[in-house]
Each structure stands twice: as C-alpha cells, then as structure tokens.
Amino acid sequence: MGLEQATAKPHEDLARHLSGKMEAVNRLIQTRMASRHAPRIPEVTAHLVGAGGKRLRPLMTLAAADLCGYTGEYDVHLAATVEFIHTATLLHDDVVDESAKRRGRPTANLLWDNKSSVLVGDYLFSRSFQLMVETGSLRVLDILANASATIAEGEVLQLTAAQDLRTNEAIYLQVVRGKTAALFSAATEVGGVIAGAPEEQVKALYDYGDALGIAFQIVDDLLDYQGQSQKTGKNIGDDFRERKLTLPVIKAVAEATDEERAFWQRTIEKGDQRDGDLEHALELLRKYDALERTRLDALKWAEQGKVAMAKLPAHPVRDMLTNLADFVVSRVS
Amino acid sequence: MGLEQATAKPHEDLARHLSGKMEAVNRLIQTRMASRHAPRIPEVTAHLVGAGGKRLRPLMTLAAADLCGYTGEYDVHLAATVEFIHTATLLHDDVVDESAKRRGRPTANLLWDNKSSVLVGDYLFSRSFQLMVETGSLRVLDILANASATIAEGEVLQLTAAQDLRTNEAIYLQVVRGKTAALFSAATEVGGVIAGAPEEQVKALYDYGDALGIAFQIVDDLLDYQGQSQKTGKNIGDDFRERKLTLPVIKAVAEATDEERAFWQRTIEKGDQRDGDLEHALELLRKYDALERTRLDALKWAEQGKVAMAKLPAHPVRDMLTNLADFVVSRVS
C-alpha cells in the first residue's frame, strides 16, 4: 500500500484529467434523476448519488472515449448511463441482501422501504435506457442490453450458487462477471464504440474492463478473509458467516477430504455455524494455500488487463488505466 | 354482460385472427425467458407465464402491425417485448404490494422469495431490451424507453399518492397511465411504427392504447366498490381497506364537508378503520354520485378509443379493436 499512497491514485489522475467531462456527467445525472411528478424519486437517488463513491464506471467510459480520440458529447450520456445502471443495481442488491449500510450510510431500503428501492431502481434503469437511446447508436444499445442481461443473470445465479458446494471456479467467474465485470467491460467498450475506434481497439477495451472487473471482485473476496477491518470497513469472515461461497473457499472445497467436505456442508450449505468454525475455515484455507492462490489469480487478471491496454495507442489516459489495473490489486500485492 | 357473453369476446376474435403470429410469440417467449446458467429463472418465469393470462398486450402489438399491413417478422419480437415488460412489472408489483396471489395461483415472491422476484424481474426487463434492440428501430427503442420511464415513475408516484387526500384526478390519471395505459399505448404504437404506418395512424394507435388502458383501469377501480365478488374474484371495498385512493373516492373527497374530510383522513390517510366504515364510505360515494360519475368517465375513455380507431383504415382487426373498447367497459355498462 505504501507506494500507492505516496503517489496519486490512478482513478484520481483520471478524474483530474477528465474533470470537465465529469462535471458534465454530474450535471446530466442531476437533471435526469429528477422526476417532475414523484418526489420520492429524487429523495432516494439524492441520498445514494449524494453519498459519492468513486464514480469509477463513468470515468472508465470517458477515459475509453478520450483515449480513442472522441470529440463529441455522447460519452457524457454513456457515462451517466452506466452510473444509473450501477445505482439501480445497488438499490436492488440492498433489497436482495437486506443490507443496512452502503457507502457508510444507512441504505435506502432502511431509510424508506423495500418498495421504494425496487421501484426507484426500475426508474433509474429506464432513465439509463432513455439516455443510451439518445446516442442513436444501435451497437451501443446492443452492448448495454447484453451487459444488462449478464448482470441480471449473474445476480440470479448467485442466489442459488453461493450456498452450493458444486459451485466451481467457472460458475464463480460467471457470477463475478454479472456482479462486477459486465458493467466495467460495457463501460469501456461503449467508450471505444462511440469514438468509432477500430475493432481491435474496441475488443481490447472490452478485455481490459472485463479483466479489471474480475480482478477487482477477486481482491474484494480475498480481503474478506485477510483484510484488516479498519481498512476495508468489513470484518474478517463476513462472507463465511453469510454463507457466501467465494474463490478462496471454492479452491479449498475442490481439494477437501471427506471430513473437510462435511465441515463446509454444515457451515456453508446448511448454515449451522458454531464457535471456532471461522478459525477452522481459515486453517483449511491455509492448508490448501487457497488465499495465496486466489491472490495470484487476481494478479493474473490485472496483468491481462494491462496486456489488453498495451494494444491501444500511446496516450496519457492509457498509462492511467494501466496504473489502475496495478492499483486494483495493490491492496493484496 | 349478456350480449358480450353470447357473442365471442373481441380479444378472443383477435387471438383467433392472429393465432399463427401468437404461436410464434409464445415460442419466442419460451426461448428467451430461458437461462443456460441460472435454473431459478425458468422456474419463476414458467410459473408466471404458464399461468396464462389473456396476453392482451402482445395481441395489441400484433393487431396494430397487422392493421397497418405489416408483413415482416419484428412484430413478433415486439409482442414478446411488451409481454416481458409486463411480466417484469408484475413480479416487482407483487413484491411491492406483498401480494400472495396472482392469476389464481400463489405469487413468485411467496413460492420462492422476494429476492428471486426482484432479480428475475430485472432479468426479464433486460431480455425485453435485447429483443427490441434486434428490431434495429431507434424509434421503437425511444417509444419503449419512454414508456418504461412512465411506468416506473407512475409506480413510485402511487407509493406516495395512494394515501394522500391531495391526490386529484390529474394525479390519478398519471398513476393510471404508469400502471396500465403506458404499456398499452406503447404496444399499439410500436406495431404501427414497425409497419411504417403514416404519422396520423401511429398517433391514432397511441391514442387508442392510451384510452383503452385508462378505461380498463377505471373499470377495475369502479368494480372494487360495486362488483360482485364471484365475478371479479375480489371483495367489495378491498381498495378502501388497503387505503388506496381511487377515482370514486377522489370524486367524493373533492366535494367533502369538513366532517366527511375528517372521515377520509382517518380511514385512508391514517388507516384507522373501524366497523361500519366501509358502509359509511359507500354512503358518501352514493351521496356525491361518485360511482356513476366514475362509470361515465370509463365510458368516455372507451369512446375516445373508438374515435381514435376510426382514423385507421377499414380492416377486420379495426373492428375487433373497436369492439374491444366496448368490451372493456361492458362490465359496468
């Protein structure tokens, strides 16, 4: 962490480099999340949007368009689109997960009710849809429609896969693409498409977003077992307690003895957890070197993101995106 | 009812006339609601789609395209699109209303859980989005994006407006457009657009769907206060007990004395209901002739639908759609 904290963070470099465009994105978000008729809508969205967050996804769309030499204005529409899709999925996720906190504040479902979260999420999704139609690009619409389907399918898959010991690394990867990577890859891909970039660059932008999203989620899942709670705001083993099968455990389950398998069945599948179970789980993860192997997977995905980025022309933004891939895994490297 | 029951029902005439196309729609729905990866998705959708329903919305899209001489195949995509949007909103509505039954069967949120209903609804919405993108018509996408926003905004508006005595007929109308009419009018309008119909016909198709949807919902709200439960499957006064402000009560509230206003405040706004309150509410509706005036509103909207239909060229489907407008209000005429 030391080095990264000393130098500027790459997403902050991006935000600075693209600050004019980001202001336009924020204005567009403010305008379009409003509702003339239903005051509950701006209440809920202002709560969520006002809480900030890094605005990483819209930044990636703007960065991709900039990197490909785009001089028009639709990158702003598309950046607002991906932020609306992201916000809509957060609202629905908090209902599904019965979450009480998001970005350090009480969630909308807690402050208002589940109804408001479901319906305002639907509203933001339909507003994102209007925004992307305005770009007039059928290819952009196709990419975002497919990303939406991948996101929704991944979320449903997670409902059944998260507590099923048959979930292997391929299924985990698909859930992760739905949860995180599909919107990252769509965000960068549409930036290239709207700029009219050559096919191989569009493909490289997709690959970069996909790899970055996967690395990002694997790091998140790894830190759940080895992070320090003051840094992550989470307690070690939350995923274990919530019976969520993530990559470290999937690796340990794949090599489990019969006895160990029975342990995972009891604690994850049946949810019968007792004192000392988390400690035993951590022991099993150590036994199979599962945390270290998970960490290497994250580094491999970050590396793939950098390889994809190298296919794009030299540009200050390309360097920032390359640094971003390193930064995402810096918490575990 | 006598006359309508003796002759065929107009939506059954439409279904017969368009049976080849409807089979194609049903096949497309079966194919597209599937998911290779998440088995929970076909479970939930098969439960809902299998329960049938009249498939009124896809029929209206096919009818509009047929009436305008369309010979291509994208009407099938658009019909499946509107059915998916409709099914997605039903799934979310049942979560929001905490409903236990839909089409005479237990709801998905009861059989599985709210999570599945929220996420499978999102999945169907994104699948509808893919289907409409395949038509390659930006105008169709624009219409459906706007309809989606109207639907979601109307649903959120209803959350706050339904128990607020300040809700007037204009707000009621907007909620009704969101709940019902926006998808009806989009269904007919896109049928005309995909057929390349002249602008005045596209406008007439929109007006027809809008008027039909509003008439349909007003009749529903009226029957809640005067229907016979064996016909409607509902008990008289359900909306009153659930503190839903609908058109009959809005009309009575508009002319209420101070004392009557206090009654509505207690029963609807505060939800403090006692024995005899429903009877008193019905008395007040009679005092201001609110049910009869609501009935006349429904007839007026049905008439507007017929006027719009008269702007379209002579065609057997035009007659069926005209009859459908009569049929929708036949339960109260």
Side-chain angles (χ1 to χ4, degrees):
Chain A
M1 282 299 285
L3 187 68
E4 284 71 26
Q5 283 177 332
T7 60
K9 292 172 181 167
H11 57 272
E12 291 172 358
D13 288 340
L14 281 169
R16 228 181 337 267
H17 180 75
L18 298 160
S19 62
K21 285 276 184 183
M22 267 313 285
E23 277 169 34
V25 172
N26 287 331
R27 276 194 303 273
L28 191 59
I29 286 175
Q30 292 293 338
T31 316
R32 298 304 180 89
M33 78 178 184
S35 157
R36 250 185 325 144
H37 306 291
R40 174 65 52 84
I41 290 174
E43 282 170 32
V44 173
T45 50
H47 171 72
L48 205 65
V49 174
K54 288 186 289 297
R55 294 254 206 276
L56 201 52
R57 292 155 190 84
L59 266 178
M60 286 172 74
T61 298
L62 296 178
D66 190 49
L67 174 50
C68 297
Y70 185 59
T71 55
E73 290 178 1
Y74 286 133
D75 54 345
V76 171
H77 281 68
L78 292 174
T81 295
V82 298
E83 185 68 2
F84 273 1
I85 295 176
H86 177 57
T87 309
T89 60
L90 293 186
L91 281 167
H92 286 186
D93 279 354
D94 285 341
V95 171
V96 167
D97 294 341
E98 296 161 23
S99 314
K101 282 208 168 179
R102 163 80 66 189
R103 292 175 182 166
R105 300 167 66 174
T107 54
N109 47 313
L110 205 76
L111 280 184
W112 289 274
D113 44 32
N114 278 345
K115 304 176 189 200
S116 299
S117 293
V118 170
L119 296 178
V120 174
D122 288 349
Y123 180 73
L124 288 179
F125 194 58
S126 61
R127 294 298 258 172
S128 80
F129 182 16
Q130 289 179 310
L131 278 166
M132 60 182 112
V133 169
E134 288 172 33
T135 67
S137 164
L138 279 166
R139 177 144 180 220
V140 154
L141 287 158
D142 187 49
I143 292 165
L144 290 166
N146 293 335
S148 300
T150 303
I151 292 168
E153 195 172 19
E155 300 260 16
V156 182
L157 180 60
Q158 192 182 19
L159 284 185
T160 50
Q163 290 169 14
D164 185 342
L165 290 195
R166 288 169 305 180
T167 296
N168 56 25
E169 297 201 13
I171 297 176
Y172 170 80
L173 206 57
Q174 207 200 332
V175 169
V176 166
R177 283 206 159 94
K179 274 175 79 162
T180 314
L183 194 53
F184 274 70
S185 57
T188 45
E189 188 180 10
V190 296
V193 166
I194 203 76
E199 278 315 304
E200 64 275 16
Q201 291 186 15
V202 170
K203 170 77 167 61
L205 284 167
Y206 169 91
D207 288 342
Y208 171 81
D210 183 56
L212 191 80
I214 294 171
F216 189 90
Q217 188 61 51
I218 292 178
V219 168
D220 223 50
D221 291 343
L222 178 57
L223 284 178
D224 190 80
Y225 284 103
Q226 65 176 31
Q228 290 158 342
S229 65
Q230 65 269 34
K231 272 191 194 164
T232 61
K234 291 167 72 178
N235 298 313
I236 287 199
D238 275 348
D239 286 345
F240 178 78
R241 272 183 291 269
E242 291 166 18
R243 305 162 59 197
K244 281 186 193 164
L245 210 56
T246 58
L247 193 53
V249 175
I250 289 168
K251 287 182 187 294
V253 168
E255 310 199 36
T257 63
D258 285 351
E259 195 186 335
E260 289 164 7
R261 201 172 171 78
F263 168 78
W264 294 117
Q265 272 167 340
R266 172 171 65 75
T267 53
I268 300 280
E269 287 197 339
K270 300 201 182 111
D272 168 13
Q273 297 193 3
R274 304 166 195 168
D275 276 359
D277 279 347
L278 176 61
E279 290 67 26
H280 186 57
L282 289 168
E283 226 167 76
L284 293 178
L285 295 182
R286 268 192 299 274
K287 174 178 174 189
Y288 295 109
D289 212 17
L291 296 178
E292 175 60 11
R293 283 156 59 214
T294 298
R295 191 179 80 85
L296 292 176
D297 281 357
L299 295 181
K300 183 197 76 181
W301 283 107
E303 190 56 35
Q304 284 197 25
K306 288 160 71 179
V307 167
M309 210 23 69
K311 294 178 183 160
L312 287 149
H315 191 288
V317 164
R318 189 185 73 166
D319 299 336
M320 295 175 200
L321 289 173
T322 303
N323 292 341
L324 185 60
D326 279 328
F327 179 74
V328 158
V329 291
S330 66
R331 290 185 296 169
V332 297
S333 48
Chain B
M1 283 298 287
L3 187 68
E4 284 70 28
Q5 282 176 334
T7 61
K9 292 173 181 164
H11 56 272
E12 291 172 359
D13 289 340
L14 281 169
R16 231 181 334 267
H17 180 76
L18 298 160
S19 61
K21 284 277 185 182
M22 268 312 286
E23 277 169 34
V25 172
N26 286 330
R27 277 194 303 274
L28 190 59
I29 286 175
Q30 292 293 337
T31 315
R32 297 303 180 90
M33 75 179 188
S35 158
R36 249 184 327 143
H37 307 290
R40 174 64 50 84
I41 289 173
E43 283 170 32
V44 173
T45 51
H47 171 72
L48 204 66
V49 174
K54 289 186 290 297
R55 295 256 206 275
L56 202 52
R57 291 156 191 83
L59 267 178
M60 288 173 72
T61 298
L62 296 178
D66 190 48
L67 173 52
C68 296
Y70 185 60
T71 55
E73 290 178 359
Y74 286 134
D75 53 346
V76 171
H77 280 69
L78 292 174
T81 296
V82 297
E83 186 68 2
F84 273 1
I85 295 176
H86 177 56
T87 309
T89 59
L90 292 186
L91 281 167
H92 286 187
D93 279 354
D94 286 340
V95 172
V96 167
D97 294 342
E98 296 162 21
S99 311
K101 282 207 169 181
R102 163 81 65 189
R103 293 174 181 167
R105 301 167 67 175
T107 54
N109 47 313
L110 205 75
L111 281 184
W112 289 274
D113 44 32
N114 278 345
K115 303 175 189 199
S116 298
S117 292
V118 170
L119 296 178
V120 174
D122 288 349
Y123 179 73
L124 288 179
F125 194 59
S126 61
R127 292 297 255 172
S128 79
F129 181 18
Q130 288 179 310
L131 277 166
M132 61 182 112
V133 169
E134 288 172 31
T135 68
S137 164
L138 279 166
R139 177 142 179 223
V140 155
L141 287 159
D142 187 48
I143 291 165
L144 290 166
N146 292 336
S148 301
T150 303
I151 292 168
E153 195 172 20
E155 300 259 17
V156 182
L157 180 60
Q158 191 182 19
L159 283 185
T160 49
Q163 290 168 14
D164 185 341
L165 290 194
R166 287 169 303 180
T167 295
N168 58 23
E169 297 201 12
I171 297 175
Y172 170 81
L173 206 58
Q174 208 201 332
V175 169
V176 165
R177 283 205 160 96
K179 273 174 80 163
T180 314
L183 193 52
F184 274 70
S185 57
T188 45
E189 187 180 10
V190 296
V193 166
I194 203 76
E199 278 314 303
E200 64 276 16
Q201 292 186 16
V202 170
K203 170 77 166 60
L205 285 167
Y206 170 91
D207 288 341
Y208 171 81
D210 183 56
L212 192 80
I214 294 171
F216 188 91
Q217 189 61 50
I218 292 178
V219 167
D220 223 52
D221 290 345
L222 178 55
L223 285 176
D224 191 80
Y225 283 103
Q226 65 176 30
Q228 290 157 343
S229 65
Q230 64 270 34
K231 273 190 195 161
T232 59
K234 291 169 70 179
N235 299 313
I236 288 199
D238 275 350
D239 285 346
F240 178 77
R241 272 183 291 269
E242 290 166 18
R243 305 163 59 196
K244 280 187 194 165
L245 211 55
T246 58
L247 193 52
V249 174
I250 289 168
K251 287 184 187 293
V253 168
E255 309 200 37
T257 64
D258 286 351
E259 196 185 334
E260 291 163 6
R261 203 175 168 76
F263 168 79
W264 295 117
Q265 272 166 341
R266 173 171 64 77
T267 54
I268 301 280
E269 286 196 340
K270 301 202 181 108
D272 169 12
Q273 297 192 3
R274 304 165 194 168
D275 277 357
D277 278 348
L278 176 61
E279 291 67 25
H280 186 58
L282 290 168
E283 226 167 77
L284 293 179
L285 296 182
R286 268 193 297 277
K287 174 177 174 188
Y288 294 110
D289 213 17
L291 296 179
E292 175 59 12
R293 284 157 59 212
T294 298
R295 193 179 77 86
L296 293 177
D297 281 357
L299 296 181
K300 185 197 75 180
W301 283 105
E303 190 55 36
Q304 284 198 25
K306 288 159 72 178
V307 168
M309 210 22 71
K311 293 180 184 158
L312 287 150
H315 191 289
V317 164
R318 191 186 70 168
D319 299 336
M320 295 175 201
L321 289 172
T322 304
N323 292 340
L324 185 60
D326 279 328
F327 179 74
V328 159
V329 290
S330 66
R331 290 185 296 170
V332 297
S333 47

